[in-house]
Each structure stands twice: as C-alpha cells, then as structure tokens.
Amino acid sequence: MRKINLAMAGLLISYTAFGAAYKIPEQSTRAMATAAAYFASVDHADAAYYNPAAMSWLENKTLTELGIKYIYLPKIKFNGYARDQITNVFFISNAKTTKEEFVIPYFHMVIPSTNNLRFGFSFTTPFGLSKRWSSNLQKQTAEEFTLKVFEFDTTVAYKLNKNFSLGAGLRTVYSSGKIKAVREPGYRLRMSGESGLTFGYLISAALNFDKVKIATIYKSKIKPEIDGQATGNVIIPGPTLYPISTEGSVKVVLPAEWRLGIAYTPIPSTTFDLTYEITFWGEYKRLDFNFDDPVAEATLGQPKDKYWHDSKTIRLGVRHQFNEKFTGMAGIAYDETPIPEKTLGFELPDANGWIFSLGGLWTPINNFEVGLAYLYVTKIDRNVHNTNIEGKFTDMAAHLVNLSIGYKF
C-alpha cells in the first residue's frame, strides 16, 4: 500500500504558493505576464485551461503552447516565540526557512472546430508547496512539507451564436507529497506517498462583442481520499519509545474556484483585462485523518481545526502589440490569504500580498512565437499570536520566470 501522503493529508498545507495558500494560477506566458488577469481576452492555446468557452473564437487552426516555469522562494524569516510540542512552554525561536527552487513544465493545445464544437487539452501544476525549516522548534511541526499536484484537463466549447459560447471540461488530478517532523526526545515522523487519480469538472461561458469580452468559469472542488502507511516513533507514558507503522486514510479538499472577467480593447493593438476571483477555502474547516493503530490514532489522528475562509483576488493586466513581431504585457494583483491567525503555523506562513508582472511575446516567423514572463509576489509582514506561535513572519516572497514556445498549424 502507498505511504500516506501527509504532506497533503497531515496539514493540507493548502496549495497556493504564489497566490493565497499556495495556489499557482500562472500557467502560461500570457497569464504570468499579466498577473493572471488574462482571462476574458484569451486568444491562444491556453484558452483550454483558462476560458474553454472562448475557444470558439480562436483562429481555426491547431494551437499549441509548451513552456516551463522556474520558481524561486527566498528564505522566510520568523522572529518571536514558538511552543514546544511536548512541554507546552514557549521559547525564543528566531529562524529562517531554506530557499526553494523548482522547474515545472506545462502544455496547452486547442484543435480546429467541427460543427461549432472545439476541443482543448491542458497539462498544468495548479497547486504546489515546499517549505523546510532547520531550527528545532519549527522542525517539531514543519521540518519539511512538500506537495505536488498535477492536473490534466480535457475541455470542449460550443458556439451558440457569434456572440455567445459555452464551455465545459473534465479535470483529472494526481498528487504526491512528503512530510517530516521531529522533536528529540519525543517523536520522529517520516511520511511520503501519492494519491490515485481524482476527478472534477469545470463549466464556463463567454460573450464576445466588438471591443468588449466577458467571461466566467467555475471549477469544482476535488476531494481525493489518500490511504497508505505512516512510519516513525513516539514516546508514550512509561516512558516508552513506541514504533509506528500503520495503515491510515484521510480525505482532503481542493477547493472550488469562481472567476469573472471583462476585457476591453479600445484600439486593435491594446487590451485590458480585469478579473475577479474567489477560491472557496471556507470548505476547509478541520483536518481529520485516521490510523488503524490505536496509539497512532490517539497521538496523530485527533481532528485539527483549520477554519479557513474564502479568499478573493482582484487582477488587472494589459497587453499591447508594438509591431507585427512583438507584444508587451504587464499586470498587477492583490491577493487575500485564507488562513486565519488562530490556525496559522510554520508549515504555511502566509499573508495578504501584492503581485507584479511583465513579459513579452516575440513572433520571428508566421505561426511561431517565443514568450518570456517574470512575476514577483510580495506578502505583507504578518504578526501572529495563537496557541503555537507568538511572533512575526517577514520576507515572504516568490519569483517566477516563464519561458514558452507557441506554434499553430
């Protein structure tokens, strides 16, 4: 049996790394360069992921985009006190996370239309997290938390008339993760694993007028059930070092999302996108995983309150075609965190934040383009006072670079 994925299960440390709670909405060059405001105005292969209904109005060719994202997470600083998980005493624990670097691929494709139907495909990594601490008190709950989520979407659009189109799609998700926590003497846990395939859906609608486009999309929540085996040890009354090797299971929630966007093209060369987004994190109220071993269940399996709330994001982006070969892009966004102060922990230091981005598309020859985008996330410093933490998190940031090639035929 697979080892239980407590990187997802144990803390469901969200999955928004560059939006609130480690969600990664930037899944193409155009999206990253406009702070993910790019939505109602989609005009390339990434419409299959962002706005399937709008595939109806794309150029009637096969459109593709293949790209990679480089993600750099600098060290996060904490200054203050942390609670020892065994003695329940607070100690000074000024510390930093380790820096993290990732390279992640993605792919989008839209095929030509047939009888007002059009199909698209996308492979993305919409959620992800890696957070590691080296200081003793932080390692008691978050020595390492790593989460990877991969998604493959199959989408379809149907054009009802020249101005209105509907879209829908099947979402297929696969995830893997790792968790490490240690308190010597006391306990040591090492858990890693993967989930099976889980499924969700999306529905979208789009209006297309001369200078204005309006779109909306709803993506369903996905609830994978992860089962497997957890290993480690824990001190029980006696005192005795009790070895843990037990089967267990947990259900996690990947929340639903709703977007509404409007795009305005005042002149043919310039388009503005304004997008409003809600992620329904409020469904994540508590974490409850179960183990067959009664000692493991008593020490690790107790429900943990989370009580996250829905988060909202507002995004503004612009694209301007300077000439036949080059288009420039820029964006700004404000992003709310869903994590309340009372349940925020070292596994996911998060706060409200600002997002800034820019990029460009170069078309050296017909039907071929090269894209480059950069995005910077800066989170507002956050003071935290709860049952585990008394202190302040600073220097919460992320740098993303996207490189892509696009081809249509």
Side-chain angles (χ1 to χ4, degrees), residues 21-272:
Y22 282 84
K23 171 182 164 186
I24 312 175
E26 299 84 15
Q27 298 294 330
S28 73
T29 292
R30 288 167 175 81
M32 185 175 292
T34 59
Y38 171 80
F39 172 53
S41 71
V42 291
D43 59 3
H44 199 59
D46 49 2
Y49 178 77
Y50 284 103
N51 183 5
M55 294 190 296
S56 296
W57 298 303
L58 300 182
E59 187 177 1
N60 197 31
K61 295 182 177 181
T62 297
L63 290 77
T64 63
E65 180 177 340
L66 175 66
I68 57 171
K69 291 191 293 289
Y70 168 74
I71 300 171
Y72 173 70
L73 304 180
K75 297 178 180 180
I76 295 174
K77 295 179 182 178
F78 173 77
N79 287 287
Y81 297 81
R83 182 175 67 88
D84 185 285
Q85 298 298 304
I86 300 296
T87 65
N88 291 325
V89 176
F90 279 83
F91 295 96
I92 293 177
S93 185
N94 299 332
K96 297 180 182 179
T97 62
T98 61
K99 65 180 182 179
E100 307 285 352
E101 296 179 277
F102 312 93
V103 177
I104 305 171
Y106 69 87
F107 177 72
H108 304 291
M109 173 183 282
V110 176
I111 62 177
S113 63
T114 304
N115 297 324
N116 290 328
L117 284 173
R118 195 152 194 189
F119 292 90
F121 309 93
S122 289
F123 172 75
T124 60
T125 53
F127 309 109
L129 167 70
S130 186
K131 196 62 58 190
R132 293 181 293 171
W133 295 85
S134 57
S135 299
N136 290 334
L137 285 170
Q138 281 76 13
K139 287 167 64 175
Q140 292 184 19
T141 57
E143 180 180 3
E144 178 181 353
F145 285 90
T146 299
L147 172 65
K148 301 175 184 178
V149 177
F150 303 94
E151 180 171 335
F152 182 80
D153 292 347
T154 302
T155 54
V156 60
Y158 180 70
K159 184 168 67 173
L160 282 78
N161 56 53
K162 67 177 184 179
N163 300 118
F164 184 50
S165 179
L166 295 174
L170 174 68
R171 304 171 61 204
T172 303
V173 169
Y174 165 85
S175 57
S176 66
K178 180 187 296 184
I179 179 173
K180 295 180 181 179
V182 60
R183 199 284 192 187
E184 299 286 8
Y187 56 83
R188 177 178 294 272
L189 299 174
R190 294 292 184 269
M191 312 173 191
S192 64
E194 59 188 23
S195 74
L197 298 180
T198 51
F199 302 94
Y201 67 89
L202 61 85
I203 53 175
S204 67
L207 291 167
N208 185 4
F209 300 106
D210 183 27
K211 293 185 177 182
V212 176
K213 295 180 180 180
I214 301 171
T216 187
I217 190 169
Y218 175 81
K219 295 188 177 184
S220 71
K221 68 179 178 182
I222 300 178
K223 296 182 68 174
E225 181 171 357
I226 303 168
D227 60 0
Q229 188 174 43
T231 60
N233 56 68
V234 62
I235 291 181
I236 61 175
T240 302
L241 187 64
Y242 183 86
I244 295 173
S245 181
T246 182
E247 294 182 359
S249 65
V250 65
K251 288 185 178 180
V252 297
V253 177
L254 311 184
E257 173 192 314
W258 175 70
R259 276 188 166 212
L260 177 66
I262 183 170
Y264 177 57
T265 304
I267 57 176
S269 60
T270 304
T271 297
F272 295 91

